[in-house]
Every structure is written in structure tokens, then in C-alpha cells.
Amino acid sequence: MRSVRARAAIGATLVVAVALVASGLAVLLVLRANLIDQADLQAEVAAREVAGQLATGTPYDELELDDEEDHPVQVTDEEGRAVVVSKDLRAITGTGTSGVTPAPSASAGASPSPGDGDDDADDDDDGSRPGRGEVSSDDPDFSDGTATVDGTTADYRFAAVEATTPDGVTLTVYAGAPLAAEQEAVNTVRGAMLTGLPLLLVVVAGVTWLVTRRALRPVEGIRREMAAITASEDLARRVPEPGSRDEIAALARTTNETLTVLEASVERQRRFVADASHELRSPIASLRTQLEVAEAHPELLDLPGAVADTVRLQVLAADLLLLARLDAGEKPGSATVELGALVREEVSQRTGDRIAVSVEVPQGGAFEVNGSRGQLSRVIGNLLDNAQRHAEGSVAVSVAADGRGVRVEVRDDGAGVPEDERERIFERFVRLDDARSRDDGGAGLGLAIARDVASRHGGTLTVDRAAEGGAAFRLWLPRSA
């Protein structure tokens, strides 16, 4: 039952079994109802023939009871006593009568005709005989019972028809129709169903098993390849993609896409660890050298250099910590931040910049966004640091409304960013100017952090060419509701 093939085969077999049993029962019920309707019709015809004879005044012993074996007949009076029975009828049930033997007044050879009676009643006052009787036009009553005819007992369907004789006597005619054909037909169909149903269920189970096995064969190939990838840790491998266009092929394609993303993520993580180790090694080695020299020759201690290396280590550690939090999916929060005020505050705190920053924020504008004030301040600071590093003589920052959001633009008049490098500069530990010293050029994390923060806030960060000739970094964030 742990196998999908087994569950599919059992499920399909159960569904088919329920459907076949239900349809089989419906067929049997319909067949039995139709056959009983035919028996009712035969019994009614036989009963009305006898009732018609009684209504015309035919004596009891002259009644024509044809085909007595197939249609046994019993006639009862108003008190439920049998007055006429078929010749070979010996026992009967289902008619509600007191027996099958005719009453003494209607015994064989002495049965009076329906029109006989007392001598005083032979004629009416005018000397004429009574008129014709009638047969009830109401639907007959039907019942199930048995009859023993010529020593053989069988099941019959009886129809009860009332008839009135010419002299006003009401009689009830019971005529039967055999149910042997109905029972035989129902039993035959039931036997065929009981024989064919298990065979059909076996076929359904087998076909479902084979079809499911064939359909799941690519899944087994995907599973084996994934197990091999897990064992070898080789994320460059891919699972086989079947040529079909079904759900399994879509699963294989999605799995390969996931492996591609996972491979890129792992490779990026490896580069990140290697680059972080390289960036940390230089200031640590420099700081250690200065401390060792100071230990041996205190007069040669380069205290400003040691402080600078320590600050650099502190900044790099803070950047790495922020990147780790961003990679872990840290949410930026939902505080309301006014970007115009944030830009003015950030610029006012930059007292050590080599180039004064020009701020362009419209008066009275509302530039509110939702997010983390600290992270957005970090983005603006990183963009200004990058502009200060590459500008020749001017750095400008502006805030403006842009559609449903707010745009912050940082421009400089430096060399700008080549068009083919405008996406690469947002990668971690990427520095385009190799001629710059590592201390001046930074670790290459500022722009990567800025774009990650912008993305976490539902915004974007792009770079283009500024009107001043340098780079123009545009931060767009959705406006607060």
C-alpha cells in the first residue's frame, strides 16, 4: 500500500467494482420489473377472459379455462369461498381465499349457473331473465403466490378482477401467470454478472498497475538521479527530462531549474566565503604586523594606521553581518520613513566628505515609504560613499515623486560606469577600478548591500549615466499607503 501503483490499482478496482455492482443491481431490478409487468399483463388478460364469461351468464361448469397449467384460475364469491377452480389446481396461496375446493353448492356436476336460483326467482315480474352482468373496469389487484398444478408447485403472479353476474352476484376471478421465466432470466443474468465481475476487476487492476508503472517510470529515473546528486554533491548534474508534455515532464524541468538556482547559490556562497576571507586577511595581517612592530619597537607604532585597520575590520564585519541577515530573509519592518528628511539628515552628518553634497528635495513634498529607517539610511550612505570615491568635483542627491513611488537619485561627475558593467557592480566583492588601493576602493559590498535592501523593500536600484557625465544611481521605493 506504500506504492503509488498499488494504491492506484486498488483505488481504480474499488471504483469500478462499486460502479459495476450498482449498475448490475439496477439492471437486475429493471429486468425483474419488466418481466413482472409482462406476467401481470398475462394474468390480467386471463382473469378478464374468465370474468367476461361470468358476466355473460356462462354456467360454472361450462367456463372455458384454457391453458390451466400456465394460467391457473380460481373464482371466489363475496364471502371468499372458492366456487370455481381450474381442473388440476390442488393448492394455492396469495389469493386470500379459504381454500381451493369449490363450495358444496358449486361442486362439480352440481354447480349452478350464475343465473340459476330459487324457482320463484327464475323470472322477473314481467317473465323475462336478468340482463347482462359486467366486468370491473378498475385496475386489477396483483399479488405474488404459489400454485400446485398437477402435482407441481411453482411461483405465480395473480391478478384479481371482479365480475358481476346477470343476477347481481359479485365474484372475484384470480388468474395466475407463471414467474418461472422471470426467475430464470434474473438468475441467468445474476450468474453472468457474478462470473464476469471478478474477471473484469482483475483486468482493471492489471491494466491500472501496468499503466501507472509506465507513467511513473520517469519519476523513478528522476529519483535515482537526485539520489546520485545528493551522494556525489555534484550540483552540475541534471535529472533526465522525458519527451512528453505531461506533469512528469514539468516536474523534471522544474527540478532542473531548482538545481540550476541551487548550483548558482552554492557557487555564490563559496565565492562569498573566499572573498570575505581574502578581504579580512589583509587588514588583520596589517594590524598584526603593526602590533608586533610596536611590541618590539614601541617608538615605531603607527597608531593611526592601526586605528584605520580596526575601523576597516569593524565596517567589513558589519557589512557581512547585514548581508547574512538579508540572506536569512530578515523583514525590513513597516515603519513609515520620510525619505526627504532622511536624505537631509544623512547628508548633514557627513562632515568628513572631500566634496560637498548638493541636496535637492522639494519643499512641502511628502515622500513617505514603509520600511526600516536604519537600512534605508545605510543605502543612501553607501550610494554617497560610492559617489565620493569616484567624483571629480561634484556630488548631488535629489528626491522626487515617481509614479506610485519615490525616487532618490545620487549623481557624480566621475568616469561613470561602462554599460556592460552596470549589473556586475552590484555583485558582492566587485570593484571595477583595480588601480585604486583597497583602502580607498572599499571591499566591494556597498552596492550589493544597497540593492539587496532595495529589493527587500519592494523597490529597485539601477545605474545610468548622469547629466554631469558620471554615474547616476536611482533608488525607487513604493510610496507608503
Side-chain angles (χ1 to χ4, degrees), residues 337-353 355-359 361 372-386 388 395 397 399 408 410 475:
V337 180
E338 215 288 322
L339 282 184
L342 182 64
V343 167
R344 283 192 291 264
E345 179 182 347
E346 183 67 24
V347 172
S348 65
Q349 295 176 357
R350 302 177 65 87
T351 57
D353 288 344
I355 299 175
V357 179
S358 172
V359 179
V361 179
S372 169
R373 182 180 182 85
Q375 291 184 8
L376 294 178
S377 176
R378 183 69 174 275
V379 171
I380 296 172
N382 287 353
L383 295 179
L384 291 174
D385 289 342
N386 182 77
Q388 289 285 340
V395 175
V397 55
V399 181
V408 178
V410 179
L475 170 67

Side-chain angles (χ1 to χ4, degrees), residues 45-171:
V45 170
R48 290 191 180 279
E49 288 180 355
V50 176
Q53 297 177 52
L54 292 173
T56 59
T58 304
Y60 296 152
D61 55 357
E62 296 180 6
L63 292 175
E64 295 182 4
L65 306 179
D66 296 333
D67 199 6
E68 297 179 0
E69 182 177 354
D70 288 340
H71 301 292
V73 176
Q74 181 187 50
V75 181
T76 62
D77 58 15
E78 296 176 349
E79 297 180 359
R81 295 177 301 176
V83 296
V84 177
V85 295
S86 297
K87 179 180 179 182
D88 296 325
L89 182 61
R90 295 293 178 267
I92 188 171
T93 63
T95 60
T97 61
S98 59
V100 297
T101 303
S105 61
S107 59
S111 300
S113 65
D116 291 343
D118 296 337
D119 293 340
D120 295 339
D122 285 345
D123 297 313
D124 291 335
D125 294 338
D126 57 359
S128 62
R129 294 181 60 84
R132 178 184 175 88
E134 62 178 5
V135 178
S136 174
S137 60
D138 296 338
D139 292 335
D141 295 329
F142 296 99
S143 61
D144 294 324
T146 61
T148 302
V149 180
D150 197 16
T152 302
T153 302
D155 294 328
Y156 286 84
R157 184 74 169 171
F158 292 100
V161 177
E162 290 187 352
T164 304
T165 61
D167 55 357
V169 177
T170 300
L171 301 174

Side-chain angles (χ1 to χ4, degrees), residues 2-357:
R2 295 182 179 180
S3 170
V4 174
R5 288 173 292 180
R7 292 199 296 268
I10 292 175
T13 303
L14 290 177
V15 171
V16 173
V18 171
L20 289 178
V21 169
S23 60
L25 290 176
V27 168
L28 289 176
L29 292 175
V30 172
L31 176 62
R32 186 174 184 277
N34 289 337
L35 293 175
I36 288 179
D37 288 343
Q38 295 179 9
D40 290 345
L41 180 59
Q42 296 176 12
E44 181 180 359
V45 170
R48 290 191 180 279
E49 288 180 355
V50 176
Q53 297 177 52
L54 292 173
T56 59
T58 304
Y60 296 152
D61 55 357
E62 296 180 6
L63 292 175
E64 295 182 4
L65 306 179
D66 296 333
D67 199 6
E68 297 179 0
E69 182 177 354
D70 288 340
H71 301 292
V73 176
Q74 181 187 50
V75 181
T76 62
D77 58 15
E78 296 176 349
E79 297 180 359
R81 295 177 301 176
V83 296
V84 177
V85 295
S86 297
K87 179 180 179 182
D88 296 325
L89 182 61
R90 295 293 178 267
I92 188 171
T93 63
T95 60
T97 61
S98 59
V100 297
T101 303
S105 61
S107 59
S111 300
S113 65
D116 291 343
D118 296 337
D119 293 340
D120 295 339
D122 285 345
D123 297 313
D124 291 335
D125 294 338
D126 57 359
S128 62
R129 294 181 60 84
R132 178 184 175 88
E134 62 178 5
V135 178
S136 174
S137 60
D138 296 338
D139 292 335
D141 295 329
F142 296 99
S143 61
D144 294 324
T146 61
T148 302
V149 180
D150 197 16
T152 302
T153 302
D155 294 328
Y156 286 84
R157 184 74 169 171
F158 292 100
V161 177
E162 290 187 352
T164 304
T165 61
D167 55 357
V169 177
T170 300
L171 301 174
T172 303
V173 180
Y174 292 95
L179 294 177
E182 177 267 337
Q183 294 173 348
E184 182 178 358
V186 172
N187 291 335
T188 301
V189 174
R190 184 190 298 115
M193 289 182 176
L194 292 178
T195 302
L197 179 61
L199 297 177
L200 182 59
L201 293 180
V202 170
V203 172
V204 170
V207 171
T208 305
W209 176 276
L210 294 177
V211 171
T212 308
R213 178 183 180 184
R214 182 178 181 84
L216 293 179
R217 189 175 299 167
V219 177
E220 178 61 22
I222 295 174
R223 187 202 64 80
R224 287 197 300 266
E225 186 63 24
M226 288 297 294
I229 293 173
T230 302
S232 64
E233 298 183 357
D234 183 8
L235 296 178
R237 299 175 62 172
R238 296 296 181 266
V239 301
E241 295 186 13
S244 59
R245 297 182 179 180
D246 54 11
E247 292 82 355
I248 297 178
L251 171 64
R253 288 191 295 270
T254 303
T255 302
N256 285 333
E257 292 171 0
T258 302
L259 289 173
T260 301
V261 174
L262 182 60
E263 181 186 13
S265 176
V266 171
E267 182 61 27
R268 184 169 60 251
Q269 203 68 16
R270 289 173 179 171
R271 289 201 311 267
F272 177 77
V273 172
D275 293 339
S277 301
H278 178 74
E279 293 293 335
L280 288 171
R281 183 172 53 187
S282 296
I284 290 177
S286 175
L287 183 60
R288 177 180 177 180
T289 300
Q290 295 180 52
L291 293 177
E292 289 177 349
V293 170
E295 183 181 13
H297 306 281
E299 69 281 1
L300 299 179
L301 174 62
D302 183 9
L303 188 58
V307 173
D309 287 337
T310 303
V311 171
R312 184 179 174 194
L313 281 175
Q314 183 181 11
V315 172
L316 184 56
D319 289 344
L320 293 176
L321 179 60
L322 178 57
L323 285 174
R325 293 204 308 267
L326 293 176
D327 290 341
E330 179 182 286
K331 295 183 178 180
S334 58
T336 301
V337 180
E338 215 288 322
L339 282 184
L342 182 64
V343 167
R344 283 192 291 264
E345 179 182 347
E346 183 67 24
V347 172
S348 65
Q349 295 176 357
R350 302 177 65 87
T351 57
D353 288 344
R354 65 184 183 90
I355 299 175
V357 179

